Amino acid sequence: MKSIAVFCGSSFGTEPIFRETAYNLGALLSQKGFSLVYGGSATGLMGVLADGVLENQGEVIGVLPRFLQKKEVAHTRLTQLILVDDMHQRKAKMNELADGFIVLPGGLGTFEELFEMLTWSQLGLHQKQIVLLNIGGYYDPLLSLLQNLEHFGFLKSGNQSAFLVCDSVLACLNVFEK
Ligand code: AMP
């Protein structure tokens, strides 16, 4: 079974489409036979995403640092909850377990996780696909910023081949079915 790691907000965000998409992504991951690896929290989009998988009889592995166990409220119905010592171990574990990455709307934590995986890809530390699910144009300013990096010579366009942008859950999962 292929595992996909998803990074997303521990909040819901302002737009109902964010939580609808998180749930639909979870449901479709399960229906298409992927297991989910994520941060293990029950809050915000993270919780809804896990619910989408679990309510469609899918498998979810949560990876949560011990110090966040209370703060983020660990999801209680996961197939497996892996507790790690810190944030670095969490990302390393998620990378170890995942065959690819999907990024939904989120805050600073989601950005940090996205950029760490992009950086590791750029350094050749993994060769996995990273798909940004750009719902409601949430990531448009980030995509402009990345173009700016390229324009000013701080980002080589070839380095971004592992990075794709999709605007629907279906398109996003098609990437991993090939
Ligand atoms: P956020 O996108 O900020 O709601 O956070 C989403 C996920 O990223 C959660 O699992 C957080 O634990 C994690 N996270 C939050 N802050 C940070 C941070 N400073 N560095 C790395 N991960 C974080």
Side-chain angles (χ1 to χ4, degrees):
M1 183 186 258
K2 267 194 185 176
S3 295
I4 304 294
V6 178
F7 301 125
C8 62
S10 53
S11 311
F12 287 112
T14 52
E15 310 305 306
I17 186 121
F18 297 153
R19 67 175 82 184
E20 284 160 26
T21 305
Y23 187 89
N24 290 341
L25 174 62
L28 210 65
L29 275 169
S30 168
Q31 285 157 19
K32 289 192 175 279
F34 294 103
S35 65
L36 168 69
V37 175
Y38 88 119
S41 169
T43 62
L45 298 186
M46 296 174 73
V48 171
L49 166 76
D51 289 344
V53 180
L54 294 166
E55 286 167 18
N56 286 275
Q57 292 72 50
E59 283 186 14
V60 185
I61 299 176
V63 185
L64 193 65
R66 284 183 185 85
F67 81 95
L68 278 182
Q69 217 176 343
K70 282 214 179 90
K71 194 169 167 256
E72 286 204 344
V73 191
H75 201 294
T76 51
R77 291 182 292 120
L78 302 180
T79 315
Q80 191 186 354
L81 180 67
I82 300 176
L83 292 172
V84 292
D85 289 335
D86 55 38
M87 301 301 262
H88 302 291
Q89 276 189 15
R90 180 198 236 178
K91 271 172 297 193
K93 190 68 179 171
M94 288 174 83
N95 177 43
E96 183 190 314
L97 295 173
D99 297 297
F101 303 97
I102 296 176
V103 184
L104 286 171
L108 293 178
T110 303
F111 273 68
E112 197 269 347
E113 289 160 341
L114 165 65
F115 276 98
E116 182 114 38
M117 289 311 137
L118 285 173
T119 310
W120 291 5
S121 170
Q122 181 173 264
L123 294 170
L125 298 176
H126 73 74
Q127 283 80 33
K128 299 167 193 173
Q129 196 77 54
I130 303 162
V131 181
L132 188 71
L133 194 36
N134 187 20
I135 299 303
Y138 178 70
Y139 282 117
D140 288 352
L142 175 69
L143 296 173
S144 301
L145 180 64
L146 290 174
Q147 276 177 6
N148 216 43
L149 264 66
E150 216 175 303
H151 175 78
F152 284 100
F154 286 104
L155 180 65
K156 292 192 185 72
S157 52
N159 282 347
Q160 291 189 69
S161 57
F163 181 55
L164 281 178
V165 182
C166 290
D167 56 12
S168 77
V169 167
L170 205 57
C172 183
L173 287 189
N174 282 342
V175 171
F176 295 103
E177 282 188 312
K178 284 173 193 157

